[in-house]
Amino acid sequence: MTTSPSAPRPTGPPEPSAGEGAGEADPRRLRRVALASLVGTSIEWYDFYIYGLAAIIVFGPQFFPGASTLAATLAAFGTFAVGFVARPIGGVIFGHLGDKLGRKNTLVATLLTMGISTALIGLLPTYATIGVAAPILLVLLRVLQGFAVGGEWGGAVLISVEHAPEKRRGFFGAFPQLGVPIGLIAANGAFLLLAAVVSPEALTSWAWRVPFLFSALLVGVGLYVRLKVEESPEFERSERAGSMRLPIVSVLREHSGQVLCGILIFGGITAVGYIAAVFSISYGTSQLDLPRAPLLAIVLVVALIELPLTLWFSQRADTWGLSRTVAWGAVATAVAIAAFLPLMASGSLLLIALAVAAARIASDVMWGPSAALAAQSYPPEVRYSGASVGYQLGSIFGGALAPIVVTLLLASSVGMAGASVYLVVMVALSGVGALGAAKLSRRSHAAGVTGAGGD
């Protein structure tokens, strides 16, 4: 049975939360789900990040030859940003499939889409070979990458959170979040290894393709793990109760406040993440004339430190409260990001390492618990669509635009002070979004919306 978006939801006693029953009684099942969400998102973010690094190191001269340094940087960041523009579209389409057909099958589709598009980038001829068709194809493949990531995040978070006991959702929701630093570690590690074993000329000529082609092997591993996961119990219950014909319509009509809060939460988080992980390398090499290898190493080491801290903050958030943890994390991140650009401009590798570590570790206080906070803002029948759209639009508002906006502000009359204020405001909006999401979730829970709850 299906219902229209405006039809009333089935009435009756509340469904048990995920984890009541099978999830708590079967820790092996929980571990399997956590591993599948971790492995899958790690591969997806590895693919996404190697594009960002290649855009800094290779894509300017290989796909946009003849441009000035500033123009080439903006063009590279522009193709990087195109992937973000495609992410909400992927979130809507894969979110619809995930709410209608299930989390597991949709996650298999996102992984395949990402793997194929990434491998094709590794095979793509350059401008010198096929002319203007090269950057056009590069942009199209980047769109496919963004399309895949748009559907991946929501599904991986939901299949982990919906299997978890209610009082441990923050902790288990952090496992797909770990895919970001792990993907960053793998991407930076791949380029560091290449830089160590081949010449700079070889790296920009052909060796940059190796990390992209390696993705095909990683996708095979990810599919093997992901196919062994069982479907989310909450999805199965909502499917029996009756699924909505167009979940995204219900999200925009009935949960627009939650979508806006998601945009604010993830706008600030992704802005800090990409400024610290991607912009820092570009700024250090192009403006400070620093060697690339130590900058990559700094980001890699910080990402390693983030792994246990993200899990710890997320575990504590189950006690402290998800929205309160994210809000306090926004305060800490605002302090760190205010000092980020001045520390970068010092040119000292030690101070740059401090800037990257402070910004990313402070934002981890927000990043880990934000997954469960986003998921519990919606009832199960529209949760994939709602959580995905909020996150992906936030990633455009923050992650896609932040490197471009900061680059332009630094080159303008407002300079470093204006760019720093912009970043602080972005982070402050994350805290506002977290508190707003909790308030709206409590209101929905009080109104009897099954599956939505407050902190």
Side-chain angles (χ1 to χ4, degrees):
M1 180 185 75
T2 60
T3 61
S4 68
S6 58
R9 295 184 182 87
T11 58
E15 295 283 357
S17 63
E20 291 179 6
E24 288 183 299
D26 189 358
R28 288 200 308 170
R29 183 185 187 188
L30 276 175
R31 288 195 295 270
R32 189 183 308 122
V33 170
L35 176 64
S37 64
L38 173 64
V39 169
T41 52
S42 297
I43 294 169
E44 294 263 1
W45 286 111
Y46 164 81
D47 289 349
F48 206 73
Y49 273 126
I50 58 173
Y51 187 102
L53 291 170
I56 296 168
I57 299 170
V58 176
F59 289 163
Q62 293 287 2
F63 292 91
F64 305 98
S68 67
T69 301
L70 178 60
T73 299
L74 290 174
F77 280 145
T79 63
F80 184 65
V82 164
F84 287 87
V85 175
R87 282 164 62 168
I89 301 171
V92 169
I93 294 176
F94 284 119
H96 175 82
L97 295 175
D99 283 328
K100 298 288 291 184
L101 304 178
R103 298 13 175 165
K104 175 182 175 178
N105 293 332
T106 306
L107 286 171
V108 169
T110 62
L111 192 59
L112 281 172
T113 303
M114 176 60 91
I116 292 171
S117 58
T118 302
L120 287 176
I121 290 174
L123 298 172
L124 188 63
T126 64
Y127 188 95
T129 304
I130 60 173
V132 73
I136 292 174
L137 290 173
L138 180 67
V139 170
L140 290 176
L141 291 173
R142 180 59 173 174
V143 167
L144 281 178
Q145 278 194 321
F147 185 72
V149 167
E152 166 68 22
W153 182 86
V157 165
L158 296 193
I159 205 164
S160 186
V161 168
E162 290 179 347
H163 275 89
E166 186 171 4
K167 293 183 179 180
R168 301 191 70 195
R169 287 185 165 187
F171 175 70
F172 279 97
F175 278 91
Q177 304 291 71
L178 292 179
V180 173
I182 290 176
L184 185 59
I185 291 166
N188 279 336
F191 276 98
L192 277 173
L193 179 61
L194 285 174
V197 299
V198 303
S199 67
E201 293 76 18
L203 178 62
T204 56
S205 174
W206 61 267
W208 65 269
R209 299 178 183 276
V210 175
F212 288 89
L213 297 174
F214 184 62
S215 173
L217 177 61
L218 294 178
V219 167
V221 175
L223 287 174
Y224 174 78
V225 174
R226 191 157 274 182
L227 287 170
K228 290 181 173 293
V229 174
E230 299 176 35
E231 184 54 83
S232 157
E234 277 202 44
F235 170 77
E236 291 177 340
R237 286 195 291 269
S238 68
E239 187 180 37
R240 288 196 298 270
S243 62
M244 292 189 173
R245 184 164 56 89
L246 291 172
I248 187 60
V249 174
S250 176
V251 166
L252 298 178
R253 180 181 298 169
E254 301 174 24
H255 306 283
S256 57
Q258 285 92 325
V259 173
L260 176 60
C261 288
I263 293 171
L264 296 179
I265 291 169
F266 293 108
I269 294 174
T270 57
V272 172
Y274 284 99
I275 286 295
V278 177
F279 173 84
S280 61
I281 298 173
S282 173
Y283 183 80
T285 54
S286 65
Q287 301 299 317
L288 303 177
D289 293 323
L290 294 172
R292 185 179 296 117
L295 294 172
L296 289 171
I298 287 170
V299 174
L300 189 151
V301 171
V302 170
L304 284 170
I305 297 171
E306 288 183 77
L307 296 177
L309 289 178
T310 299
L311 281 178
W312 187 82
F313 287 132
S314 301
Q315 184 180 47
R316 299 310 304 160
D318 284 322
T319 301
W320 297 338
L322 298 174
S323 66
R324 286 187 291 274
T325 303
V326 174
W328 280 110
V331 173
T333 307
V335 174
I337 204 63
F340 181 84
L341 291 174
L343 290 174
M344 283 289 303
S346 71
S348 164
L349 287 174
L350 179 60
L351 292 180
I352 290 172
L354 176 62
V356 172
R360 286 195 63 92
I361 290 172
S363 67
D364 286 335
V365 183
M366 300 188 289
W367 177 240
S370 63
L373 179 61
Q376 72 175 23
S377 296
Y378 303 90
E381 61 268 23
V382 299
R383 186 173 284 159
Y384 202 139
S385 297
S388 294
V389 169
Y391 172 71
Q392 302 306 341
L393 289 176
S395 72
I396 293 178
F397 177 54
L401 295 180
I404 297 173
V405 172
V406 170
T407 299
L408 293 174
L409 288 175
L410 288 174
S412 73
S413 60
V414 300
M416 188 172 297
S420 296
V421 169
Y422 159 74
L423 291 172
V424 169
V425 170
M426 291 294 296
V427 172
L429 291 176
S430 289
V432 172
L435 296 175
K439 183 177 181 179
L440 290 172
S441 294
R442 286 193 295 269
R443 187 181 300 169
S444 297
H445 186 66
V449 177
T450 301
D455 233 339

